[in-house]
């Protein structure tokens, strides 16, 4: 006899049918995307925001106006600060809004099978993404950009094995050891970029969406090859840089000192006074339109004069340390070193009284003395700096107190960012090569150093000035070597094409075109990048009172913390070179006259004097370093 009576089997059958009907209704609801549905279909839809948290999946519909909530809680125990490399990134294929089902399904499968993935964001990204997430993207991008350089076949070549060349007419500027030309960037949009940040989140960004990220601290976005293996670039325009600079005031935090110091309180007090300074009127030597906030600048400058003390480490052997190169395109680091060492107002011989510590080395001489021509290796250069730091840290206790955050360097050679990226990562780095993408320049920590061509060490102001606007009959002028990927494009469209656009290669020392006189006679001076984003022509244009036209994507202009560059310079994206003349002609004459007048006004901030003068380039560089450190304080 059966243990269970026969009617029980009927009840079981009815229960099974009931469950089947309920399950079918759920599937039907999901199919028609009724409210709160989409659980199953989200696994196949490309335009979704998929979030895995605590082992469950939830979905948010995405369209061209997708918003990502700041309150999103994400978890990812696999990615911790500094613990991953590019090779550890889960191989997720980009989601292309339904245009590639294979890529879509592959991405979905991997997102289900990998616990490393916490979030994938596809579609437009805006200010609703948390600032922490954006900072973490920045940190990862620095790592990826660094690894890209280590993995590349980039070689180093030598022009003449001697000092940096500069023709008599000033038409050519290049290091004796220069990098290979970069790949010409494609104007097409890059595919989605997979970015594993440090803070428990994995974010997939479309490259064009970088433009809509407001108030972010994304400082470094590496290039990524698409399926056709074409190199593609992310471009951060000047307007985005302004936002990133402001955001760095709250997003960048230097290492907390291991022990307290009264000097830190002085810096914190200075920060409070600068932030709360009342508006003040113009003074004869300062012009409001040139500055982001002239009142804050003037207050900060006054506090710097009254407060700042710098200790210069005496260690280090010449000519790499304590040796100033005062002529050529790397003269900024040499002039700054010379003038600071001779300054009794700012320099202290007692390190316990110092707010900042200067590492007095020359990146130019480091390369000149130690680099082996055509070796394509910077190991010896980095090792030399590392050995120097070992001496500093073993003899003094100040580096260890802040992890180097209150130390700074001033370096103008193209290789300086790479050479100092790791061993001096926490320092305030005043650099000429300020590439946001390739070199990892970081707002809130690094400073953009003006690259200045000095023709005469005895008279750095030689040839300064230019013709008045009414006598500037050349619309645009450029002359220089045909190196890097950008200049060939410039020459292709404009060399010998239009009499208004006087675009030349390297000019002969004696010829029909005089370099200096052409700059003095031009309305706009083209500052086109070479191998790197920086060019001495930016400051040179100001020197000759010509409106700079900067064509160098992701280049952070000099003294960016202080100056409002858009008030006296023109920024043209590299992709817009074919429209260069139309862009310049579209600028109203009144606007041009305003910019040219402001170029003359801002010139005082870019001049070297054998004896420093108030608000000159020496004081402006030191102020940028001081200002950066002050705003790192809590």
């Amino acid at each position: 006899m059966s243990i269970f009576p026969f009617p029980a089997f009927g009840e079981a059958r009815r229960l099974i049918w009931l469950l089947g009907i309920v399950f079918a209704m759920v599937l039907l609801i999901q199919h028609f995307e009724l409210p709160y549905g989409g659980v199953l279909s989200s696994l196949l839809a490309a335009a979704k925001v998929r979030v895995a948290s605590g082992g469950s999946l939830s979905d948010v519909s995405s369209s061209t106006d997708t918003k990502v909530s700041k309150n999103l809680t994400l978890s990812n125990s696999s990615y911790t600060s500094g613990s991953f490399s590019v090779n550890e990134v889960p191989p997720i294929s980009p989601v292309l809004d339904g245009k590639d089902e294979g890529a879509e399904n592959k991405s979905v499968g991997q997102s289900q099978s990998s616990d490393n993935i916490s979030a994938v964001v596809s579609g437009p990204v805006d200010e609703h993404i948390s600032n922490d997430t954006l900072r973490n993207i920045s940190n990862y991008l620095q790592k990826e950009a660094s690894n890209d350089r280590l993995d590349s076949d980039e070689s180093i070549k030598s022009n003449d094995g001697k000092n940096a060349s500069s023709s008599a007419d000033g038409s050519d500027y290049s290091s004796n050891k220069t990098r290979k030309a970069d790949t010409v960037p494609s104007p097409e949009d890059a595919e989605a970029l997979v970015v594993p940040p440090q803070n428990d989140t994995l974010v997939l960004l479309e490259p064009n969406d970088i433009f809509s990220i407001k108030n972010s601290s994304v400082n470094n976005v590496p290039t990524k090859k698409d399926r056709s293996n074409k190199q593609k670039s992310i471009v951060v325009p000047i307007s985005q840089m302004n936002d990133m600079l402001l955001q760095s005031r709250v997003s960048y935090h230097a290492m907390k000192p291991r022990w307290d110091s009264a000097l830190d309180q002085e810096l914190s007090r200075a920060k409070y006074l600068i932030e709360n300074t009342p508006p003040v009127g113009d003074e004869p030597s300062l012009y409001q339109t040139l500055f982001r906030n002239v009142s804050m600048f003037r207050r900060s400058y006054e506090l710097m004069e009254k407060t700042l003390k710098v200790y210069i480490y005496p260690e280090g052997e010449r000519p790499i340390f304590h040796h100033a190169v005062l002529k050529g395109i790397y003269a900024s680091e040499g002039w700054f070193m010379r003038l600071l060492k001779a300054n009794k107002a700012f320099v202290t011989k007692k390190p316990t009284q110092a707010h900042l510590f200067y590492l007095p080395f020359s990146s130019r001489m480091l390369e000149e003395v130690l680099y082996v021509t055509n070796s394509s290796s910077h190991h010896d250069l980095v090792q030399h700096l590392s050995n120097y730091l070992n001496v500093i840290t073993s003899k003094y206790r100040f580096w260890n107190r802040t992890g180097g955050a209150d130390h700074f360097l001033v370096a103008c050679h193209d290789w300086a960012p790479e050479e100092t990226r790791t061993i001096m990562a926490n320092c305030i780095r005043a650099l000429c090569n300020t590439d946001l993408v390739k070199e990892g320049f970081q707002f809130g920590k690094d400073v953009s150093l003006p690259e200045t061509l000095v023709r005469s060490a005895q008279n750095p102001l030689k040839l300064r000035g230019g013709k008045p606007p009414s006598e500037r009959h050349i619309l645009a002028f450029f002359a220089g070597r045909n190196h890097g990927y950008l200049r060939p494009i410039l020459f292709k469209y404009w060399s010998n094409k239009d009499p208004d656009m006087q675009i030349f290669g390297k000019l002969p020392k004696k010829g029909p075109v005089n370099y200096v006189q052409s700059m003095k006679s031009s309305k706009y001076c083209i500052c086109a990048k070479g191998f790197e984003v920086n060019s001495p022509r930016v400051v040179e244009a100001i020197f000759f009172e010509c409106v700079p036209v900067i064509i160098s994507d992701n280049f952070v202009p000099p003294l960016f913390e202080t100056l409002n560059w858009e008030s006296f310079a023109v920024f043209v994206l590299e992709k817009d070179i074919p429209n260069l003349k139309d862009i310049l002609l579209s600028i109203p004459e009144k606007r041009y006259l305003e910019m040219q007048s402001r170029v003359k006004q801002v010139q005082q901030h870019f001049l070297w004097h054998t004896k420093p003068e108030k608000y000159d380039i020496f004081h402006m560089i030191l102020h940028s370093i001081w200002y950066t450190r002050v705003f790192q304080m809590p």
Side-chain angles (χ1 to χ4, degrees):
M1 183 176 179
S2 175
I3 298 176
F4 299 101
F6 180 78
F9 288 97
E11 292 293 334
R13 285 195 295 271
R14 284 194 293 273
L15 181 59
I16 292 173
W17 275 104
L18 181 60
L19 292 175
I21 293 172
V22 171
F23 183 75
M25 291 179 65
V26 171
L27 292 178
L28 185 64
I29 292 173
Q30 298 303 321
H31 177 74
F32 288 102
E33 295 288 311
L34 294 179
Y36 310 103
V39 173
L40 296 180
S41 61
S42 66
L43 298 178
L44 301 176
K48 296 287 181 183
V49 178
R50 292 183 291 276
V51 180
S53 179
S56 62
L57 287 174
S58 61
D59 293 78
V60 182
S61 295
S62 175
S63 63
T64 57
D65 60 348
T66 300
K67 304 293 181 183
V68 183
S69 172
K70 287 184 178 180
N71 296 325
L72 212 57
T73 301
L74 307 171
S75 63
N76 178 4
S77 59
S78 299
Y79 288 108
T80 57
S81 177
S83 63
F84 61 87
S85 66
V86 175
N87 294 331
E88 294 173 295
V89 180
I92 305 173
S93 296
V95 180
L96 302 178
D97 296 330
K99 295 180 182 178
D100 187 339
E101 289 185 359
E104 174 191 344
N105 293 333
K106 182 179 179 182
S107 175
V108 172
Q110 288 170 335
S111 66
Q112 289 175 298
S113 62
S114 175
D115 293 334
N116 290 338
I117 304 171
S118 293
V120 179
V121 179
S122 175
V125 181
D126 62 16
E127 67 270 24
H128 289 268
I129 292 183
S130 70
N131 294 326
D132 287 340
T133 298
L134 295 170
R135 283 200 304 276
N136 294 327
I137 294 174
S138 171
N139 292 336
Y140 166 74
L141 293 173
Q142 289 185 39
K143 282 181 174 288
E144 186 171 27
S146 177
N147 287 339
D148 285 345
R149 276 192 301 278
L150 294 175
D151 295 336
S152 70
D153 296 328
E154 183 178 50
S155 64
I156 311 297
K157 58 184 180 180
S158 173
N159 291 332
D160 57 13
K162 298 181 180 180
N163 291 336
S165 60
S166 177
S167 63
D169 61 3
S171 62
D172 175 55
Y173 316 111
S174 62
S175 169
N176 61 313
K177 302 163 182 97
T178 50
R179 299 172 185 266
K180 262 189 177 180
D182 298 319
T183 307
V184 177
S186 169
E188 303 172 0
D189 296 330
E191 288 183 352
L193 177 64
V194 180
V195 183
Q198 298 177 359
N199 196 23
D200 302 336
T201 311
L202 181 63
V203 181
L204 181 78
L205 295 178
E206 296 291 339
N208 281 347
D209 297 336
I210 191 77
F211 298 112
S212 64
I213 301 177
K214 300 177 181 178
N215 299 322
S216 75
S217 59
V218 180
N219 294 331
N220 306 280
V221 185
T223 57
K224 181 180 184 296
K225 291 183 179 180
D226 66 356
R227 293 190 179 100
S228 62
N229 293 323
K230 293 180 180 179
Q231 195 73 14
K232 301 194 175 180
S233 301
I234 297 299
V235 176
V236 182
I238 189 70
S239 58
Q240 180 69 15
M241 293 182 191
N242 293 330
D243 291 341
M244 293 162 66
L245 174 66
L246 295 176
Q247 180 61 30
S248 70
R249 303 273 172 80
V250 295
S251 64
Y252 181 81
H253 301 288
M255 171 184 162
K256 183 179 179 181
R258 288 189 169 93
W259 62 86
D260 294 333
S261 168
L263 298 172
D264 293 338
Q265 298 302 317
E266 291 181 6
L267 293 177
S268 296
R269 175 65 176 169
K271 177 182 178 182
Y272 173 82
L273 293 174
I274 295 169
E275 290 180 323
N276 293 278
T277 187
V280 296
D282 288 343
E283 65 177 63
S285 54
L286 293 178
Y287 301 90
Q288 184 173 353
T289 54
L290 301 177
F291 293 87
R292 297 181 177 276
N293 188 316
V294 70
S295 300
M296 289 180 64
F297 167 74
R298 189 164 75 170
R299 185 62 170 137
S300 176
Y301 191 96
E302 291 173 350
L303 290 169
M304 178 186 74
E305 288 184 314
K306 295 178 181 178
T307 309
L308 178 61
K309 294 298 178 183
V310 178
Y311 181 75
I312 304 175
Y313 286 110
E315 286 72 20
E317 297 181 359
R318 294 167 64 93
I320 294 175
F321 298 90
H322 305 285
H323 176 72
V325 179
L326 303 178
K327 188 177 178 180
I329 63 174
Y330 305 117
S332 287
E333 63 181 27
W335 274 92
F336 180 86
M337 181 190 296
R338 176 186 179 181
L339 297 178
L340 181 62
K341 287 172 71 71
N343 192 291
K344 296 180 180 180
F346 292 117
V347 175
T348 178
K349 294 184 178 180
K350 297 180 180 180
T352 55
Q353 297 177 354
H355 303 89
L356 290 167
F357 297 81
Y358 175 42
L359 304 172
F361 74 92
S362 166
S363 63
R364 174 71 180 101
M365 293 310 299
L366 181 70
E367 171 253 356
E368 184 67 21
V369 173
L370 296 179
Y371 179 69
V372 178
T373 304
N374 296 324
S375 69
S376 70
S377 172
H378 298 176
H379 177 268
D380 291 344
L381 286 69
V382 176
Q383 187 61 49
H384 194 77
L385 291 180
S386 180
N387 293 340
Y388 168 73
L389 279 183
N390 287 337
V391 173
I392 297 299
T393 55
S394 62
K395 187 173 181 179
Y396 302 89
R397 60 193 179 97
F398 305 104
W399 177 284
N400 292 330
R401 190 181 82 90
T402 64
D406 54 359
H407 288 56
F408 71 93
L409 60 96
V410 177
C412 199
H413 195 274
D414 290 346
W415 300 345
E418 182 176 346
E419 293 161 355
T420 61
R421 177 189 304 274
T422 301
I423 61 175
M424 300 178 181
N426 294 330
C427 292
I428 299 172
R429 302 182 303 164
L431 303 168
C432 288
N433 187 359
T434 56
D435 191 323
L436 278 176
V437 173
K438 183 179 176 183
E439 300 295 350
F441 181 90
Q442 189 170 0
F443 289 107
K445 185 183 74 66
D446 297 329
V447 168
S448 181
L449 177 68
E451 182 173 4
T452 57
L453 171 66
V454 177
R455 293 178 170 84
S456 171
Q458 292 71 36
N459 181 17
L461 301 181
K462 184 179 179 180
L463 301 177
R464 176 172 64 105
K467 296 181 178 180
S470 60
E471 298 179 22
R472 292 179 176 265
H473 303 301
I474 302 173
L475 177 63
F477 172 78
F478 174 86
R481 285 183 182 271
N482 186 11
H483 58 221
Y485 69 79
L486 181 70
R487 293 185 187 179
I489 301 173
L490 179 68
F491 293 147
K492 173 185 176 181
Y493 282 98
W494 297 112
S495 182
N496 299 316
K497 297 295 195 322
D498 191 314
D500 292 333
M501 305 289 289
Q502 297 198 14
I503 309 298
F504 304 98
K506 183 179 181 296
L507 292 176
K509 295 181 179 180
K510 294 182 179 181
V513 180
N514 181 277
Y515 181 85
V516 171
Q517 291 305 316
S518 293
M519 293 197 81
K520 289 174 176 283
S521 304
S522 299
K523 295 177 66 175
Y524 299 99
C525 290
I526 307 301
C527 308
K529 66 179 289 184
F531 286 113
E532 305 295 345
V533 293
N534 50 302
S535 168
R537 288 171 180 80
V538 176
V539 175
E540 193 174 37
I542 297 172
F543 194 79
F544 294 128
E545 299 171 3
C546 179
V547 175
V549 179
I550 300 174
I551 310 178
S552 181
D553 290 351
N554 305 319
F555 169 59
V556 182
L559 310 178
F560 193 65
E561 304 82 5
T562 300
L563 296 178
N564 175 21
W565 273 83
E566 291 173 285
S567 70
F568 58 87
V570 178
F571 292 83
V572 176
L573 296 177
E574 295 173 7
K575 69 181 182 64
D576 291 330
I577 286 179
N579 305 317
L580 181 57
K581 183 178 180 180
D582 290 339
I583 291 172
L584 298 180
L585 290 177
S586 69
I587 299 173
E589 182 68 12
K590 180 180 179 182
R591 171 63 176 166
Y592 162 73
L593 293 175
E594 288 176 347
M595 287 193 294
Q596 202 275 337
S597 175
R598 291 168 183 168
V599 166
K600 294 177 66 175
Q601 293 170 353
V602 82
Q603 186 186 78
Q604 65 167 324
H605 304 306
F606 291 94
L607 300 179
W608 291 109
H609 300 278
T610 53
K611 184 178 180 180
E613 298 182 5
K614 190 169 186 176
Y615 301 135
D616 70 357
I617 190 170
F618 166 73
H619 287 98
M620 293 297 287
I621 294 171
L622 188 60
H623 175 266
S624 285
I625 296 166
W626 148 269
Y627 193 77
T628 298
R629 179 55 181 163
V630 164
F631 275 91
Q632 291 178 357
M633 306 307 293

